[in-house]
Amino acid sequence: MAWTFLTPREYEDFSEGLIAAVLMVANLLYAQEVRYFDENATFEPLLHTWSLSIEEQFYLFFPFILIACIKSRRLLTTLSLLCGVSFVSALWGAVDSPQNNFYSLGARAWELLAGALCAVAERRQFWKAHDGVAALGAALIALAVTFTPSGTPSPSIATTVPVLGTMLIIMFAGGKGPVTNLLRSRAAVMIGLGSYGTYLWHQPLFAFAKSALGELSIISASALCVLSLLMGYLSWRWIERPFRMSEQTSATKRIQLFMIIFSALSIVAVGVHGVITKGAPLRFPNAAKVTDRDLEMASVSNGHCFYDVDTNDDLLVGDGMDCDLGDLSGRPAILVGDSFAGQFEPFWDEVGRRHHLRVRSLTTNWCHPSLTEEFSGPPNGRAFMQCAQMRREILENARSVEFVIVGAHFGRLSDTGMTRDVQAFISYVLASSTAKVVIMEAPPQLIRRGVERALYDPAADIQVDEQLDAKTRIAHDELRRLFGEIERVRFVTRAELFGSDLRALRSDGLPYSFDGAHLSVNGAKAAAQSFKRTAEASFSQFVDSK
């Protein structure tokens, strides 16, 4: 299914996930790449293996802790201390680094140790079954599922509610109350027996279904839930149960060990192949047409100017402010903004040469044009520091250049009110200098997966991200309302760049974009050719006007 439905980028990620799952480090892999509750995470077939890796890592070390504790006769005390340390680590991580905290063994160990404490306490018979307390535990779990706000960090103080509820059920269920009767029912027992298999099956089933069908209807999602339960039960019945219950002769053990090693090596081999081939793009009919410049945006890494300090650790903060495009002996201009300005560097390299403009690019991650320190990316990181220095450089240059070219992710900036920063910046340039202002409209905002697939499969369906693109169009309209009648301002419109088709397909049938938002290097060059056909005369008049 992965071979059939996943794009090369997705298949390469899937291959990395296969290797990480076998090596029991999936949590470390996904901590660097995936926010678990993001919409895009639902396309990751192996994302759920992060929790299995944490369990496997825990069970590697836990036996040695048990042996040491038993010898010292301080089992309950030591486990309680470790549980407390892990819990404090989780609380600190929830504030300091929620992403890493979510996937961290250190921050999750207390949840597993809570179960170990229940087991130790049960052996010492510290309590008796109590239906009321068990019901309280069930209520706490229901409370956590129903009322925990979206976006709440996990693990955090909120996680104690379901963990405590589970502990109360483990410790106090066993009488004749409703919770015990429910857990003893045939349906609950069957679900419990197949729960491990259900967990293994549900994520890939949903991920591949979304890859093949797009958004799932309620009926489709419900059917997948039933299928997950069924596959979980069948896995228990025909794989897990025979494996656990078979006669453990020496011959049987050798066969089982061989099967485990062979399966693990086969999975790793498939994963290594996917990584080495970068997602096996030759599966698709368009693969021979697609080059690296169709798959990446302009940046310092590929010979352009966009100073992507956030993704390239080799770049020094404070450098990258002397990179010029276009006609190097032409009239001075600056290109300012975030990656939605940087994406146009190949465009301005060509247009600058045609119109004799020397365009200095002052662009970095999340650095929208602004007179303030407002920043749409992670605060206090490398990109934030680079942006602060670039903004100072921009203000120093704004009065001495003839053209200021502005670009930004206007749609996303509108969510935080930062489009006002861009408006104030443009007003400042117009009021404090004689420079002309060029405003680059953002490309159509598309659903990423369709664009990636369309790079390789000409039959793929490209869809507009209606919600985000509507915000972008509204931001464009507002800028046009404020500055559209000013002679020193020129908008470079979507129609001039991409034509009237919002899917933004080039003449060769490939998308202008590579991720649904930014232009690829080749896409920006194609936009320059489109601009030459549609707006060359009017732009020449603007450039040469007094």
Side-chain angles (χ1 to χ4, degrees), residues 7 121 123 224 322 337 470 490:
T7 66
R123 287 178 60 87
L224 287 171
D322 56 356
R490 170 67 155 84

Side-chain angles (χ1 to χ4, degrees), residues 508-521:
D508 59 3
L510 296 181
Y512 283 87
S513 178
F514 70 98
D515 63 358
H518 300 89
L519 301 179
S520 66
V521 173

Side-chain angles (χ1 to χ4, degrees), residues 407-479:
H409 197 326
F410 299 118
R412 291 203 185 279
L413 290 177
S414 66
D415 288 337
T416 55
M418 292 185 186
T419 48
R420 291 191 293 270
D421 290 349
V422 180
Q423 295 164 9
F425 174 81
I426 295 171
S427 297
Y428 170 81
V429 171
L430 293 172
S432 62
S433 73
T434 59
K436 297 174 182 177
V437 176
V438 179
I439 300 174
M440 304 297 298
E441 291 191 351
Q445 304 299 287
L446 310 172
I447 294 176
R448 176 169 185 162
R449 194 176 183 284
V451 172
E452 289 180 340
R453 194 169 187 89
L455 283 165
Y456 297 95
D457 182 359
D461 182 30
I462 299 178
Q463 297 180 341
V464 176
D465 186 333
E466 296 291 353
Q467 184 176 9
L468 181 55
D469 200 61
K471 294 178 182 177
T472 303
R473 294 195 303 270
I474 290 171
H476 290 169
D477 291 342
E478 179 64 12
L479 287 170

Side-chain angles (χ1 to χ4, degrees), residues 181 357 545:
N181 291 336
L357 301 178
S545 63

